[in-house]
Amino acid sequence: MSEEQQRLVGRFKRSGSKESQLGELTLAGEDTILVLHGAKELRNYVLFPPELMHGTTVSRQKVSLLRCVGLSAQYGPPVEGRRSHSAELFPHFVLIGDQHFHDDSRVEGATFTLQHAHALFYDFFVFGQALRPKEFIKEILRSNFPDEEDIEVGPHPQVHYYTGKTDLLEAATSLGSVAVRLNAALTLPGPRGIYAPSAIQVDVAFTAPLPFDQALSTLASLIAFFDLIVGGRQPLEDLAVRVKGIDHKASTLKVYQSSATSDAPRPSRRQSRDSLMPYMTCKNEIAVVMQRWVARSEEWKTARTRFFDVFSMERRYTIDRIIGAANMFDLLPKSAFPAGTPLAPDVREATAECKKIFRALPESLERRDMLDAIDRVGRITLKHKIRHRAKVVADVFGERLPRLSDLTDEAVNCRNHFVHGSRGSFDYVNNFQVVTYLCDTLEFVFGCSDLIEAGWDGATLVAKADRHPFGIYLHSYAMASKEVLSLMESGKSK
């Protein structure tokens, strides 16, 4: 058993049932498993797995298992005429604390840590080292040990400090209030020296108590903002939820998500210079941009989900990535674009006549396709949608992104080639390095335009984030865009 695995032994039962079974729960990421043992047959646990199970361990911990999946049921050889039975279940979530989670329990808030929190909220002044410790080391020693007169000071003393700052960020959002705090676990000095690890914790108090699944979905919307700022997906760690049960007793339950395995590839390590909003210079702006960005989480949820699906692939590029990167603009709400251009009277009359003709025909795929095509006349197309979002970016970055809309148009051509087989401007397969840049272009436009409309000062900040994907894109634009445009021009001449 690895160090990250944890084994809990106790008695487990379906929520609401009086009959319990001896069980052993092993918390091990995707290998998490609950094994039940009993003198009676346990196949029903596999055939009809419970949505919620409750357990009490030998140490009196309360365990709640959510969304269980039945794996197998077995029985052993008879002993003294009796068989032993067992059943194995996989829970998607395990909650551990001093009370059980019930069907009607509601989550009032949550705390968690993020892998790249120190890159997001790095404050240079919180921890440090005195530059001239010899000037005041003796004064510190006299203050600490007034009765000692002969404390020896070596030739190279060191004085390290922690300012005691704990509150890093507070913001009131549409999802709830958000507070980011630094917890420094200072150890007492001893023969092995001094150790002062720190953890940055995010605390969310929801505007109203939420069911468990909705609480997780709400947290995901907030975490997505931090992912975008730091440049990639990051694991959610040390998650705990605050709940009130049926007796209205408040409690904090630690949450284990079985599908979030620690064996999965972890994102590359981030530093403060990767952030699109460095904490040292953007303390106040982070809260404002986060408030505005989170405010449209529900309306933009589907499109943002598609964006993070492709954005989190980082340096892995596939044909599906360019398709997804283009389609995410089609998933944006209508409010993200201007209204379609009104049709001229003669065009409107022609489309009405065409629709009348095709509606009179017998039902067929061709008839349906033509009616759908007629309905799209006058509507904003995918290229126009992306061009509008690109203009939001171009208006901020100005001359640093010449012919950006030409690149987004070509990205749609590339997407159409792989989806519909339409003719491309050049050979996309043999020039796949260009396809990767078209992916980056669409992701840059989507992510930057989203942040800009939330009040982000992109023109100033993205150039400093030289290791963030958007910073890399901006710095490489002049050379990389030239290659794409050259291929496009050569394709037109054929």
Side-chain angles (χ1 to χ4, degrees):
M1 181 180 296
S2 71
E3 293 182 359
E4 294 188 4
Q5 292 183 349
Q6 182 179 353
R7 191 179 70 163
L8 301 172
V9 177
R11 298 197 69 85
F12 297 83
K13 65 177 184 177
R14 294 176 184 268
S15 174
S17 173
K18 294 182 179 180
E19 184 179 359
S20 64
Q21 311 293 336
L22 179 65
E24 179 180 324
L25 173 64
T26 301
L27 301 173
E30 291 180 339
D31 294 324
T32 294
I33 189 170
L34 171 66
V35 182
L36 300 175
H37 302 278
K40 298 180 180 179
E41 195 173 87
L42 301 176
R43 280 191 304 173
N44 278 344
Y45 281 96
V46 177
L47 297 175
F48 308 101
E51 278 288 310
L52 177 62
M53 290 191 69
H54 290 155
T56 302
T57 69
V58 293
S59 60
R60 309 305 297 170
Q61 287 181 300
K62 304 296 184 183
V63 183
S64 303
L65 299 89
L66 281 64
R67 298 215 295 270
C68 296
V69 176
L71 300 178
S72 67
Q74 303 170 354
Y75 58 86
V79 177
E80 297 181 356
R82 301 180 63 183
R83 288 187 183 275
S84 61
H85 297 263
S86 65
E88 297 181 346
L89 297 98
F90 172 82
H92 280 85
F93 296 94
V94 178
L95 281 62
I96 301 175
D98 60 2
Q99 68 169 292
H100 286 127
F101 190 89
H102 296 272
D103 290 326
D104 56 356
S105 295
R106 293 295 179 265
V107 178
E108 298 186 326
T111 59
F112 58 89
T113 61
L114 296 170
Q115 183 187 3
H116 303 311
H118 287 85
L120 285 161
F121 302 103
Y122 173 60
D123 191 328
F124 176 81
F125 300 111
V126 172
F127 294 97
Q129 179 179 6
L131 299 179
R132 293 179 292 275
K134 288 185 178 181
E135 295 181 6
F136 43 84
I137 183 66
K138 289 185 178 180
E139 181 180 346
I140 293 174
L141 291 172
R142 282 195 299 269
S143 174
N144 282 6
F145 309 101
D147 298 330
E148 299 290 338
E149 296 182 357
D150 299 320
I151 298 178
E152 183 179 356
V153 176
H156 304 293
Q158 294 186 29
V159 175
H160 298 260
Y161 62 84
Y162 163 49
T163 63
K165 181 177 181 178
T166 57
D167 296 334
L168 301 177
L169 178 74
E170 291 188 357
T173 75
S174 58
L175 304 179
S177 62
V178 180
V180 181
R181 299 186 177 93
L182 185 147
N183 299 320
L186 300 174
T187 61
L188 292 175
R192 295 182 181 274
I194 301 173
Y195 184 50
S198 67
I200 295 177
Q201 187 180 67
V202 182
D203 187 296
V204 181
F206 299 127
T207 53
L210 302 172
F212 181 76
D213 287 344
Q214 190 175 344
L216 290 188
S217 177
T218 301
L219 288 179
S221 299
L222 176 64
I223 295 166
F225 173 78
F226 295 131
D227 291 344
L228 179 57
I229 296 300
V230 82
R233 281 277 175 90
Q234 50 191 324
L236 178 66
E237 300 173 341
D238 302 319
L239 175 62
V241 295
R242 296 187 296 275
V243 302
K244 278 191 177 180
I246 54 177
D247 57 357
H248 301 290
K249 177 186 175 185
S251 183
T252 298
L253 307 180
K254 190 165 185 179
V255 180
Y256 294 86
Q257 186 172 350
S258 303
S259 57
T261 172
S262 59
D263 296 329
R266 296 171 71 85
S268 56
R269 188 172 180 82
R270 306 289 179 181
Q271 298 178 7
S272 57
R273 68 177 185 176
D274 298 324
S275 175
L276 293 178
M277 301 188 73
Y279 179 76
M280 288 294 294
T281 56
C282 301
K283 296 176 186 178
N284 298 326
E285 290 83 354
I286 292 174
V288 174
V289 174
M290 179 172 64
Q291 288 170 341
R292 295 173 179 172
W293 194 90
V294 166
R296 58 185 188 186
S297 290
E298 187 61 31
E299 189 181 20
W300 281 52
K301 180 166 60 178
T302 304
R304 284 177 177 171
T305 298
R306 195 68 172 114
F307 166 76
F308 283 106
D309 283 344
V310 294
F311 186 63
S312 62
M313 295 175 72
E314 298 195 4
R315 295 185 178 91
R316 293 183 296 111
Y317 292 88
T318 64
I319 290 174
D320 288 338
R321 182 167 178 174
I322 186 67
I323 295 172
N327 287 358
M328 62 192 176
F329 290 91
D330 263 339
L331 300 174
L332 283 169
K334 292 181 179 179
S335 58
F337 312 107
T341 305
L343 296 177
D346 54 344
V347 176
R348 186 168 59 251
E349 183 179 343
T351 55
E353 286 297 321
C354 289
K355 186 178 291 187
K356 182 178 179 181
I357 292 170
F358 279 98
R359 277 180 174 169
L361 297 177
E363 182 64 41
S364 66
L365 288 175
E366 292 76 13
R367 171 184 178 273
R368 183 70 265 164
D369 287 344
M370 289 304 300
L371 287 172
D372 289 342
I374 294 169
D375 284 338
R376 289 193 295 270
V377 174
R379 293 185 185 178
I380 184 170
T381 66
L382 179 57
K383 284 186 178 181
H384 285 107
K385 289 179 180 180
I386 301 177
R387 277 189 169 221
H388 175 72
R389 303 305 301 172
K391 186 176 185 303
V392 174
V393 177
D395 287 347
V396 170
F397 289 93
E399 296 180 355
R400 282 185 284 182
L401 297 172
R403 298 188 65 181
L404 178 60
S405 60
D406 289 340
L407 297 186
T408 61
D409 283 355
E410 188 57 39
V412 176
N413 292 339
C414 180
R415 173 260 184 195
N416 291 342
H417 172 75
F418 288 121
V419 173
H420 304 297
S422 53
R423 184 178 181 275
S425 301
F426 53 88
D427 188 333
Y428 299 120
V429 174
N430 288 330
N431 294 280
F432 202 75
Q433 80 282 359
V434 174
V435 176
T436 66
Y437 193 73
L438 294 176
C439 288
D440 292 341
T441 299
L442 294 176
E443 292 166 24
F444 179 84
V445 167
F446 187 101
C448 283
S449 63
D450 196 2
L451 285 171
I452 288 169
E453 290 181 335
W456 175 62
D457 182 11
T460 302
L461 296 172
V462 75
K464 298 178 181 179
D466 53 0
R467 298 206 322 171
H468 189 285
F470 294 169
I472 295 172
Y473 180 85
L474 186 65
H475 289 304
S476 65
Y477 186 85
M479 182 177 296
S481 63
K482 184 177 180 180
E483 180 183 3
V484 181
L485 295 170
S486 176
L487 281 170
M488 290 168 56
E489 293 300 326
S490 62
K492 290 178 182 179
S493 63
K494 293 181 181 179

